[in-house]
C-alpha cells in the first residue's frame, strides 16, 4: 500500500495545571483554535478530527470541536487510558498516510480538577481495585521487582525526579517549575514504598492540539515536522510469564513505530517518555531501547538522559513537572517534540535534534500488564 508523508503544520496547547473555572470544552477548544491559527487554516479546511479524552463522557470530541468551529466532519473519540493521546495521533497519521484525508485535527483534553482526592483508581469492577490497589501501588510493585532483578538501589529513583523537575523549570507550560534535590524527593511524603510524593505525577487539567497534513497540503508558509512512524500495542493477561519491572506493551509499540519509521533506537535524539512515576520512566526507557536492561538508572545518574547528554529524556519536564491530564498528555508530548525539532524550545532546547520520540503507556491493572502503549516518531 502506498503511504504518503504526514506533517505537523500547526500546534496549540493550554498550560497543564488547575483550571478550576474552565470546562473541558473551553480547554480543548482553545488548544484547537491555536493549532488552526498556527497552520493558517480556517475550521472548514479540516476534513476529520481525532479526539483523546478519558474522563469527559460521551461525545467529548464533538463538544470540544464545536468550540473551535469544526462541525459535520468525521470525529473519532479515542479512549485508551493514559495512552489515549498517542492513540489519537497514531490513528490520525494512518488516515492521512493512507490518503483517506488530506488535513485533520488532533485534540487531546482533560478536566481532572475536583474529580479525585488522591491517585487515580482503576475501574471499579477490577478485583484489585476492590482490594484497594491503586496505580501508585502497581508501580511500586514494579519498582521492587526491578530492584530485585537488577540489584538496583531504589533510592536512585529520586534522580529521575531531580532531572525532570530541573527540566520543567525551563518550560513555561509546566505545572511545577521549581527544581528539587535528591534529599527533598526522598524526604517527601511516602505514597507506596519505595515511591514518595515527589516521585508521582500530579493530576492536572489541560489540552493540546495538532493539525496534520499530507505533503500536498503543506505550503511554504509552514514549518513542517514529519510524523515518520507510530506504533500501538495493548496489554496481555497477567500470568506466570508476565515480566514485572519492565513494559512489554511499550516494547511492542516501539518495535512497530521503529519499523514504520525505518529507524533504530540509537538514531533518536530526544524522547518524551511516560514518567507518571519515576520507575515508569526507567521501565519505559529500557523498553524503548534507549538504554539496555538494568541500565537506565545508571544512565540517569551519569547524565546520559539529561539535556546535553546522549539522548535527553523528558527535556520538557515530563509528567513529573508538567502534570498528567490523561487525555491530553500524549498530544502534548508531540507538541513538545515539534517545538524541539523546529528549534523553538528556548532554554530546554536539545541542540541539533532531528529525530524524536513520544511515548505513553496506560493502565497496568492487575488483570492486564497494561491497557495500551503508543509510540510516535517525528523528524525533520
Amino acid at each position: 500500500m502506498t503511504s504518503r508523508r504526514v506533517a505537523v503544520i500547526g500546534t496549540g496547547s493550554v498550560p497543564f495545571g488547575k483550571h478550576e473555572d474552565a470546562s473541558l470544552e473551553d480547554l480543548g477548544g482553545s488548544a484547537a483554535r491555536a493549532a488552526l491559527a498556527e497552520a493558517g487554516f480556517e475550521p472548514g479546511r479540516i476534513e476529520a478530527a481525532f479526539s483523546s479524552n478519558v474522563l469527559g463522557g460521551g461525545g467529548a470530541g464533538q463538544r470540544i470541536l464545536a468550540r473551535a468551529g469544526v462541525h459535520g466532519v468525521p470525529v473519532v473519540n479515542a479512549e485508551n487510558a493514559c495512552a489515549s493521546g498517542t492513540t489519537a495521533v497514531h490513528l490520525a497519521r494512518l488516515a492521512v498516510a493512507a490518503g483517506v484525508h488530506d488535513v485533520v485535527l488532533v485534540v487531546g483534553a482533560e478536566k481532572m480538577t475536583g474529580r479525585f482526592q488522591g491517585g487515580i483508581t482503576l475501574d471499579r469492577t477490577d478485583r484489585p481495585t476492590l482490594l484497594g490497589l491503586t496505580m501508585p501501588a502497581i508501580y511500586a510493585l514494579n519498582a521492587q521487582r526491578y530492584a530485585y532483578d537488577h540489584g538496583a538501589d531504589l533510592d536512585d529513583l529520586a534522580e529521575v525526579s531531580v532531572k525532570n523537575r530541573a527540566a520543567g523549570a525551563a518550560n513555561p507550560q509546566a505545572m511545577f517549575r521549581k527544581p528539587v534535590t535528591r534529599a527533598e524527593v526522598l524526604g517527601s511524603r511516602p505514597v507506596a514504598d519505595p515511591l514518595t510524593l515527589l516521585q508521582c505525577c500530579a493530576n492536572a487539567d489541560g489540552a493540546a492540539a495538532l493539525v496534520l497534513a499530507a505533503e500536498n497540503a503543506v505550503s511554504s508558509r509552514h514549518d513542517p515536522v514529519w510524523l515518520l512512524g507510530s506504533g500501538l500495542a495493548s496489554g496481555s493477561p497477567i500470568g506466570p510469564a508476565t515480566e514485572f519491572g519492565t513494559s512489554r506493551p511499550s516494547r511492542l509499540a516501539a518495535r512497530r513505530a521503529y519499523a514504520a519509521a525505518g529507524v533504530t533506537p540509537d538514531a533518536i535524539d530526544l524522547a518524551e517518555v511516560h514518567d507518571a512515576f519515576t520507575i515508569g520512566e526507567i521501565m519505559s526507557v529500557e523498553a524503548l531501547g534507549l538504554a539496555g536492561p538494568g541500565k537506565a538508572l545508571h544512565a540517569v545518574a551519569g547524565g546520559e538522559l539529561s539535556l546535553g547528554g546522549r539522548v535527553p529524556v523528558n527535556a520538557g519536564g515530563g509528567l513529573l513537572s508538567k502534570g498528567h491530564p490523561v487525555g491530553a498528555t500524549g498530544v502534548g508530548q508531540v507538541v513538545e517534540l515539534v517545538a524541539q525539532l523546529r528549534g523553538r524550545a528556548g532554554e530546554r532546547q536539545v541542540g541539533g535534534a532531528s529525530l524524536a520520540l513520544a511515548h505513553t503507556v496506560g493502565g497496568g491493572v492487575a488483570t492486564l500488564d497494561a491497557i495500551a502503549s503508543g509510540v510516535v516518531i517525528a523528524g525533520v
Side-chain angles (χ1 to χ4, degrees):
M1 181 181 69
T2 302
S3 180
R4 304 190 301 176
R5 297 181 75 202
V6 181
V8 179
I9 59 171
T11 67
S13 62
V14 173
F16 294 177
K18 290 187 177 182
H19 296 276
E20 296 182 359
D21 297 327
S23 67
L24 174 70
E25 294 83 358
D26 293 333
L27 297 169
S30 178
R33 289 192 299 272
L36 286 166
E38 185 176 274
F41 285 167
E42 294 296 323
R45 186 70 186 275
I46 298 300
E47 299 170 16
F50 298 79
S51 169
S52 57
N53 174 266
V54 177
L55 303 168
Q62 285 86 343
R63 289 153 36 210
I64 290 167
L65 291 163
R67 294 294 182 89
V70 179
H71 310 285
V73 303
V75 176
V76 175
N77 285 290
E79 189 280 297
N80 238 352
C82 303
S84 296
T86 42
T87 298
V89 176
H90 172 69
L91 294 174
R93 184 190 74 83
L94 291 179
V96 176
V100 178
H101 303 292
D102 284 340
V103 181
V104 303
L105 178 66
V106 180
V107 58
E110 205 70 70
K111 174 73 173 178
M112 300 184 75
T113 295
R115 284 184 172 271
F116 300 98
Q117 297 304 312
I120 300 174
T121 55
L122 309 178
D123 187 86
R124 294 180 182 179
T125 63
D126 186 69
R127 177 171 170 76
T129 298
L130 298 175
L131 298 175
L133 191 63
T134 62
M135 293 305 299
I138 290 167
Y139 274 90
L141 291 173
N142 275 299
Q144 298 287 358
R145 181 60 193 234
Y146 184 91
Y148 175 83
D149 287 342
H150 302 294
D153 182 346
L154 289 172
D155 282 356
D156 288 343
L157 288 171
E159 298 297 337
V160 177
S161 289
V162 173
K163 172 178 72 71
N164 293 356
R165 288 288 290 266
N171 187 353
Q173 297 286 311
M175 185 176 185
F176 302 109
R177 300 193 62 195
K178 179 183 177 182
V180 295
T181 66
R182 178 186 175 106
E184 287 173 329
V185 174
L186 293 175
S188 61
R189 177 170 58 84
V191 175
D193 187 34
L195 302 177
T196 60
L197 184 64
L198 290 177
Q199 297 186 60
C200 307
C201 72
N203 296 337
D205 309 325
L210 307 165
V211 176
L212 306 188
E215 189 169 12
N216 61 283
V218 177
S219 73
S220 59
R221 72 173 181 273
H222 296 130
D223 187 4
V225 168
W226 302 95
L227 296 185
L228 305 177
S230 56
L232 188 65
S234 296
S236 301
I238 288 179
T242 299
E243 303 170 63
F244 291 98
T246 185
S247 178
R248 177 181 172 275
S250 296
R251 192 162 62 246
L252 291 174
R255 186 181 304 161
R256 291 163 184 165
Y258 289 135
V263 302
T264 56
D266 58 2
I268 299 298
D269 295 313
L270 74 144
E272 289 293 305
V273 167
H274 196 85
D275 63 328
F277 304 90
T278 51
I279 184 60
E281 176 171 317
I282 297 303
M283 292 164 56
S284 297
V285 163
E286 295 180 8
L288 295 167
L290 303 178
K295 303 297 185 182
L297 267 178
H298 299 293
V300 171
E304 293 181 49
L305 309 185
S306 299
L307 191 63
R310 173 176 60 84
V311 52
V313 170
N314 290 325
L319 283 63
L320 289 168
S321 287
K322 293 191 294 185
H324 185 22
V326 287
T329 292
V331 183
Q333 287 178 329
V334 179
V335 169
E336 174 67 20
L337 297 190
V338 171
Q340 290 280 356
L341 293 170
R342 286 174 168 172
R344 301 178 188 173
E347 295 178 27
R348 64 187 189 280
Q349 181 66 50
V350 176
S354 61
L355 194 65
L357 177 152
H359 157 269
T360 53
V361 59
V365 302
T367 49
L368 295 171
D369 55 4
I371 298 299
S373 179
V375 173
V376 176
I377 297 174
V380 291

